[in-house]
Amino acid sequence: MIKENLDLLRMKILAAARRTGRDPNTVRIVAAAKSQSRDSAEEAIREGVTLIGHNYVQEAVKEKPSIGCGPFEYHMIGHLQKNKAKKAVEIFDVIQTLDDWATAEALDRAAYEVGKSLGVMIQVNLSGEPQKSGISRNEANALIQKTESLNNIRLLGLMTMPPFFDDPDAARPFFRELRQMRDELIAAGVMERSATELSMGMTGDFECAVEEGATLVRIGTALFGVRIYA
Ligand SMILES: *Cc1c(COP(=O)(O)O)cnc(C)c1O
């Protein structure tokens, strides 16, 4: 099942990239593995997925795939509490959801202690929905500038989660805004030229996200099937 799902996903990503003249190889799938068994994540890795995402530190510790399946990067895609920074640095390669300075400092310190260069992305809340994590667009500049000054973490780019819409096209303005934001931050020299990653798009709207410039699409349901919570 995972292989067939992945084939279909890759075809759709290819088509969406072609529609807008993008190189499909610049789009990677992050398998969103929350509530899935480790077996499923390992199968995805054997089928060529190289990025595995989890939302909760504890679950990510428990369900971390074995490196025997193949090379993969482990991404935190859920909200990270500052008191879990140390543990998160120990197990993850990339934190996609950084949205405050205290956590940035905690991650930097932990990365130094663990002797690891940690990748981070800034989660931006573009809709202003209060229940969503992420820093506001206005406050992002300052956080990004300060984060760039830390020695043990590397800023890779931006991440966002638009509101839920039945119509994926309704999310498009948010994807476009994140891309523009990245381009402006890089042009202004606030963000390094290398910080090009845009993590945006999920099962319901990844094709729009790819058309708008996503480099990382976070896919759960379309890869693993509907989530069943124990
Ligand atoms: C669960 C989750 C996804 C994947 O959701 P699907 O709709 O199942 O593809 C993507 N991003 C985040 C942050 C998630 O929590």
Side-chain angles (χ1 to χ4, degrees), residues 85-86 89-90 105-116 152:
K86 182 80 191 293
V89 169
E90 283 169 12
E105 282 186 303
L107 288 173
D108 183 63
R109 202 173 319 117
Y112 173 77
E113 285 166 10
V114 174
K116 173 167 182 176
N152 306 288

Side-chain angles (χ1 to χ4, degrees), residues 107-177:
L107 288 173
D108 183 63
R109 202 173 319 117
Y112 173 77
E113 285 166 10
V114 174
K116 173 167 182 176
S117 166
L118 182 77
V120 301
M121 305 178 63
I122 304 293
Q123 181 176 1
V124 189
N125 181 346
L126 294 172
S127 63
E129 291 170 290
Q131 76 278 18
K132 283 246 163 75
S133 304
I135 192 161
S136 72
R137 184 169 182 166
N138 287 340
E139 293 168 307
N141 267 35
L143 177 61
I144 288 167
Q145 237 154 8
K146 288 199 286 184
T147 300
E148 288 278 29
S149 75
L150 297 171
N151 288 325
N152 306 288
I153 64 187
R154 289 168 292 122
L155 185 59
L156 305 176
L158 307 175
M159 180 269 204
T160 199
M161 240 174 121
F164 176 81
F165 300 106
D166 286 323
D167 173 12
D169 253 327
R172 191 182 289 278
F174 295 95
F175 298 145
R176 188 168 297 170
E177 188 177 352

Side-chain angles (χ1 to χ4, degrees), residues 17 47 60 76 93 95 100 102 117 137 160 175 179 191 193 198 200 209 216:
E47 296 300 339
M76 175 65 168
D93 303 294
I95 308 295
D100 75 277
S117 166
R137 184 169 182 166
T160 199
F175 298 145
R179 184 193 63 210
M191 203 156 72
R193 302 207 74 82
L198 290 176
M200 54 192 199
L216 300 173

